[in-house]
Amino acid sequence: MSLTAFALNCTLKNSDGTEKSSTDRLLADLLAAMVPHGVKGEIVRALDHDIKPGVLSDMGKDDDWPKLRRKIIDADIFILGLPIWLGQPSSVAKRVLERMDAFLSETDNRSRMPAAGKVALVAIVGNEDGAHACHAACFQALNDVGFTVPANGGIYWVGEAMSDTNYVDLPGTPKAVVEMIEMAASNAAHLAKLLKAENYPGVAG
């Protein structure tokens, strides 16, 4: 069974800048680990699109969220990628999660939200502590709007506090991170196949 993954990079850097994105590298590593499991994916940088503030699926003129929302819903696996800033998920990631609040009222005739039957992973980079707290916040939000998080669904790399070394600058991927990525890829693909074959039944409206 073939599967698709859509990764949304919530870095504070847009593609036009000269700085490389550590979040991009981690997402690319994760998508590469999914290939042996029959998953094809793409990475999109959120800042390359005009995501209006709000909690609706369409905030009107010039809002790019509807097309990103469609990519999220069409994929079997959604990956939220983000950096840590001040111990918090990036402001871009928070805006993405706020826009998904609309899912709560967009249920079908079995009371299932648009993300029902979809798997979600969260990939985090940073040079300070906070990955577990950021995972907890993101997982709670994603679960609230209908996504299913697999075992070991959180991937992260954090460097030494106050260090100038970023994930994108590492000469190789640390063994522990490789193992984390491979387990997340395997578990996400396994769960996505199960849910694609048989979605949650929901309840009568």
Side-chain angles (χ1 to χ4, degrees):
M1 179 187 297
S2 61
L3 299 170
T4 59
F6 176 67
L8 194 56
N9 180 354
C10 296
T11 178
L12 301 185
K13 304 166 185 171
N14 61 39
S15 295
D16 294 334
T18 58
E19 288 186 273
K20 295 180 292 183
S21 166
S22 288
T23 310
D24 251 351
R25 175 174 167 179
L26 185 58
L27 290 173
D29 290 345
L30 180 56
L31 288 182
M34 289 185 172
V35 171
H37 302 284
V39 182
K40 293 182 179 179
E42 77 169 308
I43 302 170
V44 169
R45 201 171 294 203
L47 274 188
D48 291 344
H49 303 270
D50 188 359
I51 303 173
K52 303 293 186 185
V55 292
L56 302 177
S57 284
D58 190 339
M59 294 302 297
K61 187 175 184 297
D62 298 326
D63 184 19
D64 288 340
W65 177 251
K67 61 186 178 185
L68 294 174
R69 177 190 179 280
R70 174 47 51 195
K71 285 179 175 288
I72 291 169
I73 296 305
D74 285 346
D76 300 300
I77 301 169
F78 171 58
I79 308 167
L80 181 67
L82 57 120
I84 299 169
W85 286 107
L86 297 174
Q88 303 289 319
S90 73
S91 58
V92 179
K94 289 182 178 181
R95 178 165 293 190
V96 166
L97 292 171
E98 287 168 352
R99 293 302 300 270
M100 289 185 190
D101 184 80
F103 289 4
L104 296 170
S105 60
E106 296 173 347
T107 54
D108 65 11
N109 62 0
R110 299 294 299 176
S111 300
R112 295 174 297 195
M113 287 176 272
K118 307 294 183 178
V119 171
L121 297 174
V122 178
I124 293 175
V125 295
N127 280 323
E128 56 187 283
D129 198 8
H132 287 169
C134 290
H135 273 132
C138 294
F139 285 153
Q140 180 63 54
L142 291 166
N143 182 260
D144 279 351
V145 298
F147 288 98
T148 301
V149 178
N152 308 112
I155 308 97
Y156 69 93
W157 176 87
V158 287
E160 182 181 357
M162 310 304 290
S163 171
D164 292 330
T165 302
N166 295 313
Y167 183 74
V168 72
D169 300 319
L170 298 178
T173 306
K175 182 175 182 291
V177 178
V178 171
E179 292 173 349
M180 188 188 311
I181 288 170
E182 290 178 348
M183 182 61 75
S186 175
N187 288 354
H190 176 74
L191 181 57
K193 288 174 184 175
L194 294 176
L195 290 172
K196 190 168 187 175
E198 187 174 358
N199 197 359
Y200 295 111
V203 294

